[in-house]
Amino acid sequence: MGISVLLARDAGGRVFLALLVLVGVFLPALHLLLPETSPLHISAYTLTLIGKYLCYGLLALAVDLVWGFGGILSLGHGAFFALGGYAMGMHMMRQIGDRGVYGNPLLPDFMVFLNWTELPWYWLGFDRFWFAALMVLLVPGSLAFVFGWLAFRSRVTGVYLSIITQALTYALMLAFFRNEMGFGGNNGLTDFKDLLGFSLQADGTRVFLFVTTALCLALAYVACRFVVSSKLGRVVVAVRDAESRTRFIGYRVEWFKLWIFVFSAVLSGIAGALYVPQVGIINPGEFSPLNSLELVIWVAVGGRATLYGAVLGAILVNYSKTVFTAILPEVWLFALGALFVLVTLFLPHGLIGLMSQRRGERA
Amino acid sequence: MTGAHVLTTNPAGPASATDGVADPRLDTTHGPILYLEDITVSFDGFRALNQLTLYINDGELRCIIGPNGAGKTTMMDVITGKTRPDRGTAFFGQIIDLLELDEPAIAQAGIGRKFQKPSVFEELSVFENLELAMRTDKRTWPTLFAKLNGQQRDDIEDVLHTIGLPEQRRQRAGSLSHGQKQWLEIGMLLMQRPKLLLVDEPVAGMTHQETERTAELLLSLAGKHSVVVVEHDMEFVRSIARKVTVLHEGSVLTEGSMDEVQQDQRVIEVYLGA
Ligand SMILES: Nc1ncnc2c1ncn2[C@@H]1O[C@H](COP(=O)(O)OP(=O)(O)OP(=O)(O)O)[C@@H](O)[C@H]1O
Ligand SMILES: [Mg+2]
């Protein structure tokens, strides 16, 4: 199925991709071409902030795939995002080389601080970008594979599955908090200097990261649309709605769940890897169970099983979060909770559902 | 649904889209296609099946009747791998041990099932429901890149006509009437091209006319397929039955023609007389 055929049947997706191209081209242009005094100028800060939202959008896309289409309510997808982020962070850590505070050419500062003399084996290879990039895909993917294989094969579903995904991310958070794990403990990884030889502070690098994020989001959208429009996508929906029925027509349900779960975890890892160089830090807080719960709210707000709705939800909720936490930080969690309750009660199909309903009424 | 569409399958004709495709290991040279022996299933001490022994011959159309709770659905659960019996043996042909297989493996070996409660994929269209049921490679990667070829489209078209839903092909399955859902489920069964069809209460909720057409369809399938029908509608059973098995409290009470069975004193006591 060519992209054109795929998008011919996806009006919402065409609008979404067009907007994404606009954002990906115009915002960097406004940043680079206009003088800082111009009211339309976009600061590097804003550009990076929006880049961060786009990473969240990619993560939401991944969650929508498993939850919206597959009916697998994962409350641990933040873990895959964080693992992708750590893999990228480890690469940038090693790129610092002897420019760290302690000037050790091989060991990151936090290891020197712990009096370590040798680089742990699992840090080997991360000095090469291609290796780190591979790990961005492989680490979340393998974890999802092993976890999903155990869970789906023993037919753990529904609320039990959700609980063990929360437990997974919680356990990882506790593990990454420990200094002995060798991932920088509660400080995480930070003080990155450059990526592929380009300074992370440089304007050009920021624009490049932003454009790359927009591009990855667009590609991921097309890939997800391909998956949900394929026969595999229909089987996954069938599993969501009538799991045992799907078995009786001869599908190995657990493999289909595993496929979609691993694919989604890999997308989450990519989102994390794009996120870390833009925000400049990754710490165990990213594994917090609360983070994973928030993802689900983004998707619910935007509209389940629409793909672009999830991205929209992620961007809107995070924009509100930015605004709220600046004005009334202590209210944010309550607002988020209220939003979730309201959406669940009154907008079962999210904002996208509301929009298409409006259009339907007018038509 | 118009009657003219129904029954385009000609049982005597050349190989059709719905002919069963046998697992190469399926060996029915001794006659029976299904051997259930001494099957016992208990739920918390209650015996839903009690040393049930039953044989179905290749190409046979068998009706199974029995009062509510007799264990008819449980028997189908055992055959299709949903429920593991506490004891007993279940063989498909002489070689395939059903108790060693799980649900998808049993489906792929050639046993299809229509559920008592109509269960179709409500969010998918009628066409897509049939497409998913179609006999083909059902592993993940081939499914991701699957494309319907001309033959497969024709097969789906054939079944759409057989079940009388060609106009509804793009309709959401969830929006069909109860009777239409029953038909769609039978269509999904046909798409799997099974050798043995287990049909649990196919005419529940159907109009008189729909019931008649279901009878015709099931009769047309027998011969090339083996069909086991569970039904409470006695008129329907009488219209299709060659051999009837009466289940009661988890075991076979008696077997025979409809007339023999209806005159059996024990049957009258437990079931028909009730
Ligand atoms: N999963 C289960 N757990 C406990 N009891 C069960 C279970 N499944 C079936 N039973 C019991 O086993 C008995 C046989 O049930 P079954 O559904 O096989 O009957 P049936 O002959 O199909 O009846 P009906 O004509 O009402 O469909 C019933 O008493 C039922 O309550
Ligand atoms: Mg029953």
Side-chain angles (χ1 to χ4, degrees):
Chain A
M1 197 166 6
I3 287 189
S4 49
V5 180
L6 207 58
L7 292 178
R9 288 182 238 137
D10 178 23
R14 289 198 302 271
V15 174
F16 168 74
L17 287 175
L19 284 175
L20 200 56
V21 169
L22 280 182
V23 166
V25 172
F26 276 89
L27 294 190
L30 293 179
H31 170 63
L32 291 175
L33 301 180
L34 292 181
E36 275 178 40
T37 48
S38 158
L40 285 177
H41 174 80
I42 298 228
S43 68
Y45 171 80
T46 309
L47 195 68
T48 302
L49 187 67
I50 298 174
K52 199 174 99 171
Y53 294 161
L54 295 183
C55 293
Y56 289 147
L58 178 51
L59 178 55
L61 196 63
V63 172
D64 193 25
L65 204 57
V66 285
W67 183 40
F69 291 89
I72 304 167
L73 177 53
S74 166
L75 297 179
H77 254 57
F80 304 125
F81 178 84
L83 287 172
Y86 265 97
M88 185 52 79
M90 286 163 78
H91 172 65
M92 292 188 296
M93 242 13 214
R94 296 214 46 191
Q95 288 301 295
I96 297 173
D98 58 9
R99 290 170 292 170
V101 176
Y102 297 108
N104 188 312
L106 194 60
L107 298 191
D109 279 348
F110 74 89
M111 292 187 194
V112 180
F113 185 76
L114 290 171
N115 290 323
W116 292 11
T117 52
E118 239 179 289
L119 198 66
W121 61 268
Y122 47 83
W123 276 78
L124 297 175
F126 275 94
D127 51 334
R128 296 174 197 278
F129 179 80
W130 68 263
F131 181 83
L134 197 63
M135 289 303 131
V136 163
L137 310 178
L138 275 185
V139 173
S142 328
L143 177 68
F145 185 86
V146 172
F147 178 88
W149 192 73
L150 294 171
F152 300 142
R153 217 178 47 113
S154 29
R155 301 195 181 176
V156 179
T157 53
V159 67
Y160 298 101
L161 187 84
S162 303
I163 289 171
I164 59 171
T165 54
Q166 275 266 286
L168 172 76
T169 195
Y170 187 62
L172 282 169
M173 179 178 76
L174 296 183
F176 274 73
F177 262 124
R178 291 159 44 97
N179 282 326
E180 308 86 88
M181 279 286 286
F183 295 107
N186 63 349
N187 294 322
L189 310 176
T190 187
D191 292 330
F192 309 129
K193 305 265 187 268
D194 43 29
L195 184 60
L196 292 170
F198 297 99
S199 162
L200 289 172
Q201 306 309 322
D203 246 15
T205 315
R206 289 188 172 220
V207 168
F208 178 77
L209 285 171
F210 178 85
V211 173
T212 307
T213 306
L215 194 67
C216 284
L217 180 55
L219 289 176
Y221 177 84
V222 173
C224 288
R225 181 58 65 191
F226 171 76
V227 168
V228 301
S229 312
S230 74
K231 187 173 173 189
L232 179 136
R234 291 190 282 282
V235 173
V236 164
V237 168
V239 172
R240 176 191 73 191
D241 293 342
E243 176 165 341
S244 77
R245 186 73 183 90
T246 319
R247 283 204 177 89
F248 287 111
I249 54 175
Y251 292 98
R252 294 209 173 270
V253 163
E254 49 281 4
W255 286 108
F256 283 83
K257 288 181 165 184
L258 195 57
W259 196 98
I260 202 97
F261 193 65
V262 170
F263 183 68
S264 165
V266 169
L267 288 182
S268 308
I270 297 173
L274 291 165
Y275 173 86
V276 170
Q278 298 188 72
V279 300
I281 181 167
I282 173 85
N283 64 31
E286 294 296 338
F287 285 106
S288 139
L290 194 61
N291 276 20
S292 293
L293 285 172
E294 277 195 50
L295 307 184
V296 171
I297 300 180
W298 305 345
V299 177
V301 167
R304 273 177 76 180
T306 59
L307 297 180
Y308 44 79
V311 179
L312 181 79
I315 294 173
L316 286 182
V317 175
N318 279 292
Y319 176 70
S320 325
K321 185 177 182 173
T322 308
V323 173
F324 249 97
T325 44
I327 316 169
L328 293 166
E330 56 294 344
V331 184
W332 168 244
L333 272 185
F334 294 102
L336 188 67
L339 185 65
F340 186 56
V341 172
L342 288 177
V343 166
T344 313
L345 288 181
F346 300 110
L347 286 182
H349 301 290
L351 292 171
I352 293 295
L354 188 70
M355 282 191 240
S356 44
Q357 202 184 333
R358 280 279 153 76
R359 246 204 333 257
E361 275 166 18
R362 254 186 285 141
Chain B
M1 221 194 305
T2 49
H5 291 306
V6 177
L7 289 180
T8 48
T9 4
N10 175 5
S16 82
T18 54
D19 283 353
V21 176
D23 184 308
R25 292 168 302 158
L26 180 62
D27 174 1
T28 56
T29 47
H30 289 244
I33 191 169
L34 182 71
Y35 298 76
L36 296 181
E37 284 170 353
D38 206 24
I39 300 271
T40 298
V41 172
S42 343
F43 296 113
D44 308 319
F46 168 75
R47 288 194 166 187
L49 290 181
N50 191 1
Q51 302 187 331
L52 172 75
T53 296
L54 183 72
Y55 304 99
I56 305 292
N57 278 323
D58 193 19
E60 183 184 3
L61 172 69
R62 174 77 63 92
C63 286
I64 297 189
I65 60 174
N68 292 113
K72 306 179 295 289
T73 300
T74 307
M75 179 195 76
M76 293 197 171
D77 288 345
V78 169
I79 300 169
T80 53
K82 189 178 180 196
T83 302
R84 294 268 167 237
D86 304 328
R87 40 180 290 208
T89 54
F91 275 84
F92 185 42
Q94 292 177 67
I95 300 174
I96 304 172
D97 183 353
L98 292 174
L99 302 186
E100 279 178 358
L101 304 179
D102 62 1
E103 301 99 315
I106 291 172
Q108 285 170 7
I111 298 183
R113 173 173 186 185
K114 189 213 146 301
F115 286 77
Q116 181 165 354
K117 189 169 145 273
S119 54
V120 296
F121 304 118
E122 309 239 327
E123 291 296 322
L124 300 177
S125 73
V126 168
F127 187 93
E128 289 168 338
N129 268 272
L130 295 177
E131 180 208 11
L132 288 199
M134 185 171 59
R135 170 172 285 272
T136 177
D137 193 334
K138 288 183 174 169
R139 289 169 303 170
T140 45
W141 288 100
T143 306
L144 178 65
F145 296 109
K147 262 183 163 174
L148 288 175
N149 61 32
Q151 178 65 51
Q152 291 170 328
R153 279 189 185 282
D154 291 348
D155 290 353
I156 296 179
E157 266 335 288
D158 279 356
V159 170
L160 274 173
H161 283 89
T162 305
I163 60 174
L165 296 172
E167 268 95 58
Q168 286 83 358
R169 80 189 71 206
R170 303 216 170 282
Q171 208 169 309
R172 245 185 88 240
S175 69
L176 297 177
S177 74
H178 187 83
Q180 288 173 324
K181 280 185 193 168
Q182 298 268 50
W183 275 85
L184 176 55
E185 207 181 343
I186 293 173
M188 291 165 70
L189 201 54
L190 298 178
M191 290 306 302
Q192 293 176 62
R193 307 174 75 174
K195 283 299 284 181
L196 173 64
L197 289 80
L198 306 174
V199 193
D200 204 348
E201 306 208 9
V203 299
M206 281 192 179
T207 64
H208 185 71
Q209 215 190 0
E210 288 171 332
T211 302
E212 259 175 31
R213 286 210 299 272
T214 310
E216 283 175 61
L217 175 66
L218 291 178
L219 280 171
S220 78
L221 292 173
K224 282 190 174 171
H225 308 74
S226 312
V227 186
V228 176
V229 182
V230 164
E231 194 39 80
H232 283 295
D233 182 332
M234 283 306 149
E235 199 190 331
F236 175 77
V237 172
R238 177 171 282 283
S239 71
I240 61 169
R242 295 156 196 188
K243 187 169 173 189
V244 178
T245 298
V246 185
L247 279 197
H248 177 54
E249 290 178 351
S251 27
V252 174
L253 189 66
T254 182
E255 279 180 352
S257 72
M258 189 67 181
D259 288 328
E260 286 164 8
V261 161
Q262 273 184 318
Q263 278 153 23
D264 190 303
Q265 201 52 43
R266 290 167 304 170
V267 176
I268 295 171
E269 272 167 34
V270 304
Y271 187 63
L272 300 169

